Amino acid sequence: MWEQIQQWDRELFVYLNSLGIERYDTFWIFVTDPRHWIPLYLLFFLFFFLAFHWKKAVFSSMFLLATVFTTWGFTNLVKGIAVRLRPNNTPELIDVIRILQEPTNYSFFSGHSSTSFAATTFIVLVLTQKTRWISLAYIWPIIFVMSRIYVGVHYPGDIIVGMIVGIIMAIIFYRLYERSGRRLY
């Protein structure tokens, strides 16, 4: 059963990766680099300072950072246990996929997916009562994780599990945030 799921995951990856168009490679390589999203990260922090008084904004920012870094640490722990090769490092796939990046660490589960969904979910939970438009922030992690398949470094299963883990971590940290922040507001 597990082997069948992995086979479907590989087949879906090969199909999705093959949809890539060479003309868009530069765009997707740009999108997949977390450094290019720094202005968006700063905007997220700015939202806290626009929505709340400075103490609550700093408190919210600290919880956001704790959410992301805990998720990142957990992701790397699981990668070290699961030791699943990335598609770009899998010998039987090298000749049939488009490879635009070549990281050498492990694949399961996607750190881009887990951390971006953890950050976005936490931000949405915190700011949803201030603005209903905050849900549009999910456009970022969706595009961000799609890039990982496009550049040839993650299976769809890696991305889906990363999304789920990120959302769960954000909910856990949001509940801790609500309980511990009641004194500030």
Side-chain angles (χ1 to χ4, degrees):
M1 175 69 172
W2 181 246
E3 289 161 8
Q4 182 63 49
I5 292 171
Q6 287 183 318
Q7 181 61 32
W8 290 337
D9 199 24
R10 276 191 296 274
E11 289 171 6
L12 181 58
F13 166 78
V14 170
Y15 172 74
L16 293 172
N17 177 265
S18 72
L19 295 175
I21 300 170
E22 197 172 319
R23 179 172 66 197
Y24 298 115
D25 288 355
T26 304
F27 170 77
W28 288 108
I29 290 169
F30 180 86
V31 165
T32 204
D33 188 341
R35 293 173 300 180
H36 296 143
W37 293 94
I38 289 172
L40 181 66
Y41 308 149
L42 295 175
L43 182 64
F44 286 157
F45 287 111
L46 179 63
F47 285 162
F48 287 146
F49 285 91
L50 292 174
F52 307 121
H53 62 82
W54 72 271
K55 281 185 182 178
K56 186 173 179 184
V58 168
F59 184 73
S60 301
S61 297
M62 292 297 119
F63 256 88
L64 173 60
L65 290 172
T67 302
V68 170
F69 285 114
T70 302
T71 303
W72 177 75
F74 180 69
T75 300
N76 287 321
L77 176 69
V78 172
K79 281 184 179 191
I81 294 169
V83 294
R84 181 182 193 189
L85 289 178
R86 290 179 180 271
N88 64 292
N89 295 325
T90 305
E92 58 269 14
L93 294 179
I94 289 176
D95 294 331
V96 295
I97 64 172
R98 296 169 32 94
I99 300 172
L100 302 179
Q101 283 192 332
E102 297 185 19
T104 55
N105 60 345
Y106 296 112
S107 182
F108 185 80
F109 50 87
S110 168
H112 280 67
S113 182
S114 64
T115 56
S116 64
F117 272 89
T120 304
T121 302
F122 183 82
I123 290 164
V124 167
L125 290 170
V126 170
L127 295 175
T128 200
Q129 293 178 344
K130 295 289 184 180
T131 177
R132 61 185 172 156
W133 297 103
I134 195 65
S135 295
L136 291 174
Y138 278 109
I139 293 169
W140 163 60
I142 291 169
I143 292 170
F144 196 42
V145 300
M146 285 173 35
S147 72
R148 305 308 284 163
I149 293 172
Y150 188 93
V151 300
V153 298
H154 275 298
Y155 296 101
D158 300 338
I159 302 238
I160 292 167
V161 171
M163 290 167 60
I164 293 167
V165 168
I167 291 168
I168 290 169
M169 293 292 267
I171 291 169
I172 291 168
F173 273 84
Y174 177 71
R175 289 185 178 158
L176 292 170
Y177 164 84
E178 280 189 316
R179 285 188 186 150
S180 57
R182 287 197 176 115
R183 291 172 281 193
L184 292 177
Y185 42 97

